[in-house]
Amino acid sequence: MFDVLVYLYENYWRPDACPDHAQLTRKLSAMGFETDEIEEALTWLDGLANASESYATEQKADSLRVYTASEQEHLGEHGIGFISFLESAGVLPPPMREMVVDRATAIPGGPVDLEDLKIIVLMVFWSLGEEPDALILDELFVDEADRLIH
């Protein structure tokens, strides 16, 4: 599923630039993605669209997030730490944080892999038509082993 999401991010600048589900399914199938992977990704994206509508004005800027036991288990220590890092850096406001948590908990299994969580964060930005700044893109995509320390 995450390969499909990355493909969509790289090839469509916003969700409304994507063709309808039937045409997109055909295109993704032609690109070599499996049918179940495509269906799972499109269902997840539908949930993302619903989340963007419901969380848009629900949270105040100074709200505090307390994770439930099931969220802690599903996100894992590293996932919650990463979300907290993005919040403290000022790039993940509370409504976007809630979208990330919602979409991460929609992934079966757990805890969610940190690399998958980074894709979820990127897709939340994408769904809102926002471009994360260069430092956040670096955090989302550059492997820590490949980082140069100056």
Side-chain angles (χ1 to χ4, degrees):
M1 174 183 90
F2 288 101
D3 291 335
V4 173
L5 295 176
V6 169
Y7 175 84
L8 294 175
Y9 179 82
E10 291 175 344
N11 290 282
Y12 298 98
W13 65 91
R14 288 178 41 152
D16 56 0
C18 292
D20 64 61
H21 277 5
Q23 186 178 359
L24 186 57
T25 298
R26 286 191 302 275
K27 183 171 186 160
L28 292 169
S29 291
M31 294 301 298
F33 293 107
E34 299 292 325
T35 303
D36 59 338
E37 187 178 23
I38 295 167
E39 289 175 11
E40 187 178 354
L42 294 179
T43 300
W44 188 90
L45 284 172
D46 288 341
L48 180 60
N50 292 336
S52 67
E53 292 172 12
S54 62
Y55 292 119
T57 58
E58 186 173 301
Q59 301 292 318
K60 303 292 185 220
D62 59 349
S63 67
L64 174 68
R65 181 62 150 97
V66 178
Y67 293 91
T68 66
S70 63
E71 289 172 337
Q72 290 176 20
E73 184 179 321
H74 199 81
L75 294 169
E77 183 180 323
H78 294 292
I80 292 173
F82 183 69
I83 292 169
S84 296
F85 162 73
L86 293 176
E87 279 186 279
S88 65
V91 297
L92 194 65
M96 290 177 74
R97 176 200 61 217
E98 292 306 309
M99 289 175 64
V100 169
V101 171
D102 177 78
R103 294 293 73 213
T105 56
I107 304 296
V112 175
D113 183 68
L114 186 57
E115 295 306 311
D116 293 343
L117 184 61
K118 289 178 178 183
I119 293 170
I120 292 169
V121 170
L122 187 66
M123 294 308 291
V124 166
F125 275 96
W126 180 77
S127 73
L128 298 172
E130 296 184 24
E131 181 76 25
D133 68 28
L135 293 175
I136 297 305
L137 283 174
D138 183 52
E139 186 63 39
L140 293 174
F141 286 114
V142 176
D143 187 17
E144 289 197 28
D146 295 335
R147 293 182 193 271
L148 293 176
I149 299 175
H150 297 274

